[in-house]
Amino acid sequence: MLLLRCQLEQSTQEVPCTLWAVMGKLQSKLKYSTYKYSRPDGIREERIQTKAFQDYSPAHVDPVSVVAALNSDICVSGGKDKTVVAYNWKTGSVVKRLKGHEREITKIACIPKSSQFFSASRDRTVMMWDLHGSLQPMQQLSGHAMVVTGLAVSPDSSQLCTGSRDNTLLLWDVETGQCVERASVSRNLVTHLCWVPREPYILQASEDKTIRLWDSRGLQVAHMFPTKQHIQTHCEVSVDGHKCISCSNGFEGEGCEATLWDLRQTRNRICEYKGHFQTVASCVFLPTSLALIPVIATSAHDSKVKIWNQNTGACLFTLSLDGSGPLTSLAVGDNTSLLCASFHRGVHLLRVDPSQGLELREVATF
């Protein structure tokens, strides 16, 4: 036995260093996942599938807090490693790695049809970057007293709204980098911001369990939706600007839901989506080209991504990203792709297959 052990140790030492270098590059792996499928008729099925996916070198060395799509090829992500990474998810390569923040990246907002984007951080600053520019930020915006937790770019790209745990919203002129409006509401700890398409309104989620609609003309509260039972963690507006969704924190199935609201006339709650067992961190409207019915997607701390029938609240598909830990952010990549940030396995590239009943598959991680 002693002789055998010595031979094994000797053979291990003779492995070339190049082998270890290859192991950090692109690998093809088999992913074993259990898919829970809830049909509109209430029948729940279990699907166990084996799928090959691409495992690229990680873009981040620590948990990823946020991911956003800059265009149909490039996404931008940030996390606890204080780094902003622009990544081509179709080629599996880092386009740019940007460092400037002193603490964790909390939010990213992209300027539509542009190579420019903003990043917010726990260091209380917001930075503006250009994918085709230098490694230094174009602007640094400072005005909040606590961590910046909300970013929203106006439809015409001329203004940026930022929100913070200091209960304050700031409105910035993108061209000059000057703060032009400031508003503060007691106990309004901002969790997320998004701008309503083609409108001067900003939607905001808060830890005080409310969703507010702000008028950017003077930065005044235009409407408050009925208070929910749990902290609202995220909000999103549909492309047509008619509806919005928000999601909440929770534990063991209590809370852990998404809510659809009407932005046009009554602004009442339309539908709720219940099925996650831990905090729902992100929610998005999926492209209308995916299905004959409108659908939305949610990601949660229970490591699951769900696709829902927007009208009925039925869960159409559940993908469990085992080993990923809490899922922190969800973004639409293109007509059939979703990008999902996680604590333990970086960013996941997911593909929706309309021909298979909106089946959701993991195709890559980076």
Side-chain angles (χ1 to χ4, degrees):
M1 291 297 292
L2 180 59
L3 177 61
L4 177 60
R5 180 180 177 184
C6 292
Q7 290 174 344
L8 287 174
E9 291 178 350
Q10 183 178 1
S11 63
T12 302
Q13 293 173 356
E14 293 173 354
V15 175
C17 293
T18 54
L19 175 60
W20 308 115
V22 171
M23 291 178 68
K25 295 183 180 180
L26 173 63
Q27 302 174 54
S28 181
K29 294 188 177 181
L30 293 179
K31 173 69 175 178
Y32 297 87
S33 295
T34 300
Y35 297 85
K36 293 182 179 179
Y37 179 77
S38 299
R39 301 194 328 220
D41 58 11
I43 299 176
R44 180 174 289 272
E45 299 176 356
E46 292 281 341
R47 294 183 182 180
I48 301 177
Q49 300 179 354
T50 302
K51 298 294 180 183
F53 74 99
Q54 304 299 327
D55 190 9
Y56 297 103
S57 295
H60 296 273
V61 298
D62 284 318
V64 182
S65 305
V66 59
V67 63
L70 184 62
N71 54 45
S72 60
D73 297 315
I74 309 295
C75 68
V76 184
S77 58
K80 289 193 174 182
D81 60 5
K82 301 175 286 187
T83 304
V84 178
V85 178
Y87 199 94
N88 188 318
W89 76 75
K90 294 185 177 178
T91 64
S93 59
V94 173
V95 178
K96 204 163 232 182
R97 194 178 297 275
L98 303 166
K99 295 185 178 181
H101 289 291
E102 297 178 356
R103 298 186 65 185
E104 176 185 357
I105 311 300
T106 55
K107 297 291 180 180
I108 289 174
C110 300
I111 298 180
K113 300 179 181 179
S114 167
S115 61
Q116 299 173 348
F117 54 91
F118 295 91
S119 61
S121 169
R122 288 189 176 276
D123 64 12
R124 301 174 294 179
T125 67
V126 173
M127 293 185 180
M128 182 180 183
W129 309 89
D130 191 333
L131 183 65
H132 303 313
S134 70
L135 296 178
Q136 300 300 316
M138 299 173 60
Q139 291 180 356
Q140 178 170 318
L141 311 177
S142 300
H144 286 289
M146 298 183 69
V147 51
V148 182
T149 48
L151 285 179
V153 181
S154 65
D156 63 3
S157 306
S158 67
Q159 293 182 309
L160 174 74
C161 186
T162 63
S164 169
R165 289 183 61 85
D166 63 7
N167 306 323
T168 301
L169 265 66
L170 301 179
L171 195 63
W172 306 82
D173 184 293
V174 170
E175 184 176 355
T176 65
Q178 298 298 311
C179 179
V180 294
E181 295 285 354
R182 176 186 294 266
S184 182
V185 175
S186 177
R187 300 181 182 179
N188 182 33
L189 282 73
V190 178
T191 56
H192 195 73
L193 293 172
C194 57
W195 211 296
V196 180
R198 299 175 297 279
E199 297 287 348
Y201 298 108
I202 305 156
L203 193 70
Q204 180 234 318
S206 172
E207 283 195 13
D208 68 1
K209 307 176 184 178
T210 62
I211 300 293
R212 291 177 174 84
L213 191 66
W214 293 80
D215 191 332
S216 63
R217 299 164 297 187
L219 208 56
Q220 301 288 329
V221 176
H223 180 76
M224 284 183 61
F225 292 92
T227 302
K228 297 284 289 179
Q229 295 298 312
H230 298 83
I231 291 172
Q232 299 299 287
T233 57
H234 188 89
C235 58
E236 194 77 17
V237 180
S238 60
V239 174
D240 60 13
H242 294 166
K243 298 179 177 67
C244 68
I245 46 176
S246 65
C247 50
S248 76
N249 76 338
F251 185 70
E252 295 184 347
E254 181 67 26
C256 315
E257 65 198 19
T259 305
L260 182 70
W261 307 88
D262 186 0
L263 277 173
R264 290 170 293 180
Q265 296 179 356
T266 61
R267 293 172 180 165
N268 290 328
R269 182 180 65 192
I270 302 174
C271 190
E272 286 191 334
Y273 312 91
K274 297 183 177 182
H276 285 289
F277 289 93
Q278 294 185 36
T279 293
V280 182
S282 192
C283 49
V284 294
F285 289 92
L286 296 184
T288 55
S289 58
L290 268 180
L292 297 176
I293 57 173
V295 286
I296 66 172
T298 56
S299 64
H301 288 184
D302 58 10
S303 302
K304 290 177 172 57
V305 180
K306 290 178 178 286
I307 296 180
W308 309 82
N309 182 320
Q310 179 182 301
N311 294 332
T312 67
C315 180
L316 304 177
F317 204 87
T318 298
L319 172 63
S320 181
L321 297 174
D322 302 326
S324 296
L327 305 180
T328 54
S329 178
L330 194 63
V332 175
D334 55 29
N335 286 337
T336 60
S337 299
L338 285 172
L339 298 155
C340 183
S342 71
F343 254 53
H344 301 318
R345 291 184 52 224
V347 179
H348 305 257
L349 176 60
L350 312 177
R351 191 70 40 79
V352 184
D353 189 348
S355 66
Q356 298 295 322
L358 296 179
E359 179 181 88
L360 191 61
R361 299 177 181 177
E362 180 184 21
V363 296
T365 58
F366 52 86

